[in-house]
Amino acid sequence: MTDKTTHANPSKNRTPRHRAREFALQGLYQWLLNNESASTVVNHIRGAHGFDKADAEHFTVLLNGAIGSSVELREMFAPLVDRGINELSPIEHAVLLIGAYELKNNQEIPYRVVINEAVELTKSFGGIDGHKYVNGVLDKLAAQLRPEEVAADKKR
């Protein structure tokens, strides 16, 4: 992969936080496939084209958090998937790690936003219907991790 191909989706209408999630997805993908250290992945992604338009702090927190707590995050969503974790596509796996991390650790971000961002990432980078799968898993996880917020949303 050259520096010219290592960049987020080229669409212009994305927020810095969305771009951070795109780069975190790329970093997790790299980590899942190459089993490199988090610091190696962070350094590589920070040098990617377009990174200057991303929320660098959110990227670092997401990537390091998802990698550092990957065992715990997988344990949270494993009962909600219909196959083994090792059978997930690397994109779905990485997006589920990001979504699970944000649902658990970023209470200030509404759960609907977390799920929507995960769906958009999967639509941009994943397989044809991967976004439906990610949506279903994270919707169930949100109900477990944020029951009050989900219940209040359903009353509307």
Side-chain angles (χ1 to χ4, degrees):
M1 193 185 296
T2 66
D3 283 342
K4 290 185 181 189
T5 61
T6 308
H7 57 79
N9 186 337
S11 172
K12 303 286 184 209
N13 298 325
R14 295 180 330 275
T15 66
R17 191 161 270 200
H18 182 79
R19 290 172 191 264
R21 289 181 183 99
E22 288 178 339
F23 284 113
L25 171 61
Q26 290 178 4
L28 283 167
Y29 185 87
Q30 180 180 340
W31 176 74
L32 287 167
L33 294 182
N34 299 329
N35 201 27
E36 295 175 333
S37 70
S39 62
T40 299
V41 174
V42 167
N43 290 335
H44 179 256
I45 297 295
R46 282 186 172 273
H49 175 73
F51 187 81
D52 59 317
K53 295 181 178 141
D55 179 338
E57 183 178 342
H58 193 65
F59 159 77
T60 303
V61 168
L62 267 182
L63 186 61
N64 286 326
I67 290 173
S69 58
S70 61
V71 172
E72 176 189 2
L73 297 172
R74 287 179 184 126
E75 288 172 356
M76 289 186 328
F77 65 73
L80 308 174
V81 299
D82 62 352
R83 60 192 96 144
I85 299 293
N86 60 340
E87 296 175 36
L88 294 171
S89 80
I91 295 295
E92 290 170 354
H93 189 171
V95 170
L96 288 172
L97 286 170
I98 291 169
Y101 181 83
E102 284 194 302
L103 284 171
K104 182 177 185 295
N105 298 290
N106 295 103
Q107 300 291 316
E108 74 283 1
I109 303 172
Y111 85 96
R112 286 268 178 224
V113 171
V114 172
I115 293 172
N116 184 58
E117 287 287 324
V119 166
E120 291 304 315
L121 287 172
T122 310
K123 282 181 180 179
S124 294
F125 297 99
I128 294 173
D129 285 333
H131 67 282
K132 294 176 186 175
Y133 187 77
V134 165
N135 184 42
V137 172
L138 291 179
D139 199 46
K140 291 174 190 168
L141 187 59
Q144 291 177 5
L145 294 177
R146 300 187 185 184
E148 298 85 13
E149 184 182 356
V150 171
D153 188 52
K154 293 197 187 291
K155 288 182 181 178
R156 292 183 194 168

